[in-house]
């Protein structure tokens, strides 16, 4: 069990005493011990600390990429970026939805993860269409682990494309553990598996140490080694789409990575 500062507890029923942003060091300490914060509502100034009895993860290299999703990624229906609008992705995840008018992502949590992002320990993958942010995923990075926090989609498959890119980049970066917190049927369809918290903690401990590169560096590596093919390039088949000098498009590289390992 993590030893949090006096006045903080890992019990999901105990609230934090102050409405200020959660310190970066405290957040990382919690994540390294399998604990993460949530809020009761978007306007709630308090947080509670969650330590699930069952944990969901997607094994690195085990993302289940359907043929249709691979085709969407390969065709570059969306322009995909990394860390170009972290706060926009968090706000998109917190926005009201028809079936979920409330959100656990409060203003305090947004402020906390904004600080974490500035410290280099939180990243986002964005999907754009005609200059508009239409989907994305964000999470927390430390050691060789990445804890996915939330994702959103305003267009069909936008969040799946963002998650697919994230999983491919994490594998390239040398990540060993991708945590997605709670199991859902949607995550199960993408390759998530469920395990008891002690088993998750064992994987977390095994994932200590530095990655080969950061997520932004992995993104830059794919982008610099591929053509800057624009969104909606019109590639309709499995053939590689090439840019200047015959290099492969980023979407093709990511789709190829996912279909080879899934």
């Amino acid at each position: 069990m993590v030893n949090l500062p006096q006045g903080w507890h890992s019990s999901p029923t105990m609230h934090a005493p102050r409405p200020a942003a959660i310190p970066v060091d405290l957040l990382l300490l919690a994540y390294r011990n399998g604990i993460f914060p949530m809020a009761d509502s978007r306007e709630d100034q308090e947080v509670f600390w969650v330590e699930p009895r069952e944990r969901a993860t997607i094994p690195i290299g085990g993302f289940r990429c359907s043929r249709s999703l691979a085709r969407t990624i390969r065709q570059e229906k969306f322009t995909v970026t990394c860390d170009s609008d972290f706060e926009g992705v968090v706000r998109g995840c917190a926005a009201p939805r028809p079936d979920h008018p409330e959100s656990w992502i409060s203003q305090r949590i947004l402020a906390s993860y904004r600080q974490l992002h500035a410290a280099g320990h939180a990243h986002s993958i964005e999907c754009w269409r005609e200059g508009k942010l239409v989907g994305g995923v964000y999470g927390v990075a430390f050691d060789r682990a990445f804890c996915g926090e939330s994702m959103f989609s305003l267009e069909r498959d936008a969040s799946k494309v963002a998650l697919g890119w994230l999983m491919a980049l994490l594998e390239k970066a040398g990540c060993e553990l991708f945590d997605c917190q709670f199991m859902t049927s949607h995550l199960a369809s993408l390759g998530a598996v469920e395990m008891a918290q002690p088993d998750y903690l064992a994987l977390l401990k095994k994932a200590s140490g530095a990655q080969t590169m950061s997520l932004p560096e992995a993104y830059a590596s794919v982008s610099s080694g591929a053509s800057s093919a624009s969104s909606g390039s019109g590639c309709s088949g499995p053939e590689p789409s090439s840019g200047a000098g015959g290099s492969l498009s980023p979407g093709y590289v990511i789709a190829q990575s996912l279909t080879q390992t899934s």
Side-chain angles (χ1 to χ4, degrees), residues 102 114 210:
E102 261 306 339
R114 187 190 295 124

Side-chain angles (χ1 to χ4, degrees), residues 195-249:
M195 66 188 67
Q197 180 75 345
D199 295 330
Y200 170 78
L201 292 176
L203 290 179
L204 193 57
K205 183 178 180 180
K206 185 179 177 182
S208 62
Q211 291 187 170
T212 306
M213 63 182 78
S214 68
L215 184 70
E217 288 170 341
Y219 174 84
S221 175
V222 170
S223 299
S224 64
S227 67
S228 56
S230 62
S231 176
S233 61
C235 176
S236 59
E239 296 82 6
S241 53
S242 299
S247 58
L248 300 178
S249 73

Side-chain angles (χ1 to χ4, degrees), residues 21-24 27-28 30-31 35-38 47 49 86-87 90 104-123 138-141 147-149 181:
I22 305 167
V24 168
L27 273 174
L28 292 176
Y31 275 98
I35 302 170
F36 54 88
M38 298 182 74
V47 300
W49 296 90
F86 177 83
E87 185 165 336
V90 180
W104 61 268
I105 304 173
S106 65
Q107 290 299 314
R108 183 180 182 192
I109 285 181
L110 171 59
S112 302
Y113 286 85
R114 187 190 295 124
Q115 290 185 355
L116 202 62
H117 173 62
H121 285 289
H123 302 289
Y138 80 98
V140 177
C147 296
E149 287 295 301
Q181 300 178 345

Side-chain angles (χ1 to χ4, degrees), residues 15 20 46 50 66 80 84 134 139 141 143 151 187 200 208 218 229 235 244 247 251:
H15 291 267
E46 297 183 329
V50 183
S66 66
V80 180
S84 66
V134 295
D143 300 333
M151 57 186 180
L187 289 173
Y200 170 78
S208 62
C235 176
S247 58

